[in-house]
Amino acid sequence: MSTLHEVGRTAELPPGKARLVQVGGKSIALFNVGGRFYALDNTCTHRGGPLAEGKVEGPGVICPWHGSEFELQTGKVLKPPATRPVTAYRVVVEGDRIKIEF
């Protein structure tokens, strides 16, 4: 059964920014793209790079270590060298509170 975990407030993550959140024993990269929030496992499946430090371009985030790109909405690989997706989490915004479901 899934649970919503509060990870912050919308004002704490301006558009175009990302940050690392620790919740439920997980390291999750949280992104605000034009007021829409996305959450992915923070660890790149190629060599463990920190996705919260990556560059957001279009629908994806580029790992800062080796350039793998992952789709923000689904976690699927858009560009190698990674071959396995990262886990994407559903984000719910209730008022000004950001919550991640897992």
Side-chain angles (χ1 to χ4, degrees):
M1 182 169 163
S2 298
T3 303
L4 288 174
H5 302 268
E6 187 170 333
V7 294
R9 297 185 182 266
T10 55
E12 297 170 342
L13 188 61
K17 299 294 182 183
R19 75 172 184 165
L20 175 64
V21 295
Q22 300 287 335
V23 61
K26 297 178 183 281
S27 293
I28 298 175
L30 183 63
F31 303 90
N32 180 343
V33 180
R36 184 162 180 153
F37 295 87
Y38 301 92
L40 299 174
D41 272 339
N42 187 53
T43 306
C44 176
T45 56
H46 173 243
R47 296 282 174 143
L51 295 180
E53 296 175 20
K55 181 178 181 183
V56 173
E57 284 190 0
V61 59
I62 299 170
C63 178
W65 286 6
H66 300 106
S68 294
E69 185 174 359
F70 300 91
E71 186 175 59
L72 290 167
Q73 189 170 10
T74 66
K76 79 177 182 178
V77 176
L78 297 176
K79 180 181 161 194
T83 58
R84 292 176 293 122
V86 293
T87 301
Y89 300 94
R90 187 170 83 93
V91 178
V92 175
V93 178
E94 294 178 345
D96 69 340
R97 297 171 187 258
I98 305 167
K99 299 179 180 184
I100 298 172
E101 182 179 42
F102 63 86

